[in-house]
DNA sequence: AATATATTTCACTTATTACTGAAATAAAAA
DNA sequence: TTTTTATTTCAGTAATAAGTGAAATATATT
């Protein structure tokens, strides 16, 4: 496959953005390439298009699979693995949010709960520190319980909600 | 100031999490320390408590100020700068979201608009590529316009909304 | 102005992460 | 079973980012 200038720009931008999100450039570039590619691509093709080492692609595919962003598919009469990614922005977003929650928010919640418990049994614990830990803990709990409810809704309902925007505020009689 | 075991755990965890979010460990640790500290701290104290070089603290403070997370204050009769951070989880969250939007979403939106325009003037542009770029663009536009509306609301209203959760869905007659 | 203190800059070192290429392993075809 | 093809592992290298300490600059005090 030959990259069009548009594809190339997209891939390069995605690669740079990836680095800001703790995803390495190769991984993000491969994801971007698969987003643009009309067909699934095999590892060899990815190497060639992005000028990456075969081993790098192999590891990157594992990383992307770990995020649930890439699927391995097969082409009739071809032994090699081929890769595709979800093409819908909203679904992609949902997956990334879910993964980040699992990797970053959940451990933080666990840590805060632990600390909160420790502070409860400690008589000379600083009151302010206690307050702040609990403030953080309840904020995160509020957010995650909201998130858990929202993720049960179908995407179409979410879109309706988001588009309704602040008219909801009027319905609920606040603001 | 002497760190309690709770503070220490919190700071170390925050430091690790920072690295996953593209913030370096020192910066995140300093932020965590200021979150816990009852009083504003000067650079020297921060060095000593976290065992960091003076220059590292200097640069980290600049980084944190850039994010709008830290304020410089003064103590009567002391020439040195002292630093504090917002103590409220929700406000902190708001600031970080706003900054990340500015740094990551806005440039991506600009890029997508550019590509979308390019594809419009290109007669042999791949239809699918066009579709995906536009799908992404409209998703991000939807999200940012929603975000812009939400950020105008006072925090208390947001809390009400979040706590209402899916009961809103019933009000709006969906799901 | 001279001295003392506080802060920043910068060249350098150290640590971390990304990437490569060769070798090992796995899987299929002959 | 041997050969071919595909994939992964891994040790080493390259690139990047983080952190240090000395020197320079800035700011206040005497």
């Amino acid at each position: 496959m030959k990259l069009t200038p548009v594809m190339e720009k997209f891939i390069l931008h995605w690669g740079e953005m990836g680095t800001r999100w703790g995803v390495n450039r190769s991984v993000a570039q491969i994801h971007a390439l698969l987003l643009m590619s009309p067909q699934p691509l095999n590892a060899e093709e990815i190497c060639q298009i992005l000028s990456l080492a075969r081993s790098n692609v192999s590891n990157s595919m594992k990383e992307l699979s770990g995020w649930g962003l890439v699927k391995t598919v097969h082409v009739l009469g071809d032994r090699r693995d081929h890769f595709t990614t979800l093409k819908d922005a909203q679904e992609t977003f949902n997956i990334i949010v879910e993964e980040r929650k699992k990797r970053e928010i959940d451990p933080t919640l666990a840590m805060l709960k632990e600390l909160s418990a420790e502070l409860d049994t400690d008589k000379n614990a600083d009151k302010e520190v206690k307050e702040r830990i609990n403030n953080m803990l309840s904020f995160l709990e509020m957010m995650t319980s909201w998130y858990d409810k929202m993720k049960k809704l179908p995407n179409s309902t979410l879109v309706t909600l988001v588009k309704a925007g602040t008219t909801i505020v009027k319905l609920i009689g606040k603001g």
Side-chain angles (χ1 to χ4, degrees), chain A:
Chain A
M1 197 180 71
K2 179 85 173 52
L3 291 183
T4 65
V6 163
M7 285 174 170
E8 194 176 313
K9 276 190 204 170
F10 179 79
I11 291 168
L12 291 174
H13 181 94
W14 212 241
E16 293 317 311
M17 282 304 142
T19 61
R20 299 209 181 185
W21 284 84
V23 176
N24 82 47
R25 187 172 288 114
S26 310
V27 170
Q29 285 185 349
I30 293 171
H31 182 225
L33 171 60
L34 292 177
L35 272 170
M36 290 297 109
S37 170
Q39 318 90 24
L41 298 174
N42 64 49
E44 209 54 62
E45 290 172 307
I46 296 172
C47 291
Q48 185 256 309
I49 296 169
L50 300 178
S51 314
L52 299 173
R54 183 65 186 76
S55 53
N56 189 358
V57 171
S58 175
N59 291 324
S60 297
M61 294 334 288
K62 211 187 268 177
E63 173 83 6
L64 284 167
S65 305
W67 279 83
L69 286 172
V70 154
K71 275 183 202 130
T72 305
V73 296
H74 286 94
V75 171
L76 229 90
D78 193 334
R79 291 164 50 187
R80 293 168 298 181
D81 289 344
H82 288 242
F83 305 97
T84 17
T85 189
L86 285 173
K87 299 298 190 288
D88 183 65
Q90 170 137 28
E91 280 191 57
T92 304
F93 177 80
N94 290 346
I95 289 182
I96 292 172
V97 169
E98 177 68 23
E99 273 300 307
R100 294 201 85 112
K101 176 182 178 288
K102 210 183 293 173
R103 297 171 188 212
E104 291 145 21
I105 308 300
D106 292 351
T108 301
L109 266 170
M111 180 270 298
L112 289 171
K113 279 178 192 162
E114 208 181 297
L115 295 189
S116 183
E118 274 179 50
L119 288 170
D120 277 338
T121 60
D122 180 358
K123 287 195 176 176
N124 7 14
D126 186 302
K127 209 182 157 187
E128 279 197 80
V129 168
K130 216 165 157 173
E131 229 171 74
R132 284 168 205 171
I133 295 281
N134 285 325
N135 168 257
M136 219 158 172
L137 178 55
S138 51
F139 175 71
L140 283 184
E141 278 175 339
M142 181 182 79
M143 293 297 272
T144 53
S145 104
W146 173 76
Y147 169 73
D148 286 338
K149 283 175 203 156
M150 288 299 149
K151 82 175 170 199
K152 282 185 195 138
L153 302 176
N155 281 351
S156 60
T157 305
L158 284 171
V159 170
T160 309
L161 276 177
V162 166
K163 287 198 172 151
T166 49
T167 65
I168 288 167
V169 176
K170 289 159 203 155
L171 276 174
I172 221 163
K174 262 257 188 179

